Amino acid sequence: MYSDKVMDHFTNPRNVGEIENADGVGEVGNASCGDIMKIFLKVDENVITDVKFKTFGCGAAIATSSMVTEMAIGKTIEEALALTNQAVSEALDGLPAQKMHCSNLAADALHEAIKNYRGKSA
Ligand code: FES
């Protein structure tokens, strides 16, 4: 039921952990299941240089978290803000319909971390 990419990112998630002295931190919760995702950013001259995540959630939430970190690293703040939840699930070759709500955490947490970064750097 899951694509090979989802299984790969679930069993071998990239960029797990925390960033000390992160430039931005974002946390979102999924109201329907109670799962939580937290994203940490390092930003240098408007470019995201590092992203780490901690997710307390299902396999689909972990896979989308992992994928969003890979997609965001190296992007400008504006490019990262344009990343959508749909783009993340497409990059994973899709998620089962009943798991689509899990993918909502990933880009949302990234956007929250960017908002936090912008608030700090303003
Ligand atoms: Fe909660 Fe997937 S079941 S994020």
Side-chain angles (χ1 to χ4, degrees):
M1 110 177 184
Y2 288 112
S3 72
D4 290 345
K5 279 193 191 166
V6 171
M7 289 310 294
D8 177 33
H9 279 265
F10 169 54
T11 52
N12 180 25
R14 328 299 199 256
N15 305 308
V16 178
E18 274 182 50
I19 297 177
E20 260 184 62
N21 303 316
D23 296 315
V25 181
E27 182 175 306
V28 291
N30 191 326
S32 59
C33 63
D35 291 346
I36 293 172
M37 181 184 298
K38 201 166 179 179
I39 285 210
F40 303 82
L41 296 181
K42 265 291 178 202
V43 183
D44 188 24
E45 305 212 350
N46 202 47
V47 173
I48 297 176
T49 55
D50 198 14
V51 186
K52 294 232 181 310
F53 79 90
K54 278 188 157 176
T55 292
F56 302 92
C58 68
I62 289 168
T64 50
S65 308
S66 170
M67 179 53 90
V68 86
T69 64
E70 286 210 319
M71 292 173 86
I73 291 172
K75 287 207 165 43
T76 64
I77 291 293
E78 292 72 27
E79 288 167 343
L81 274 174
L83 271 179
T84 60
N85 291 317
Q86 195 184 343
V88 177
S89 67
E90 280 172 7
L92 288 165
D93 293 336
L95 284 165
Q98 69 272 30
K99 283 289 180 184
M100 279 308 287
H101 75 275
C102 311
S103 73
N104 292 344
L105 291 178
D108 288 354
L110 176 68
H111 297 165
E112 283 302 312
I114 291 172
K115 264 193 228 160
N116 178 248
Y117 161 70
R118 284 189 157 168
K120 280 188 194 174
S121 63

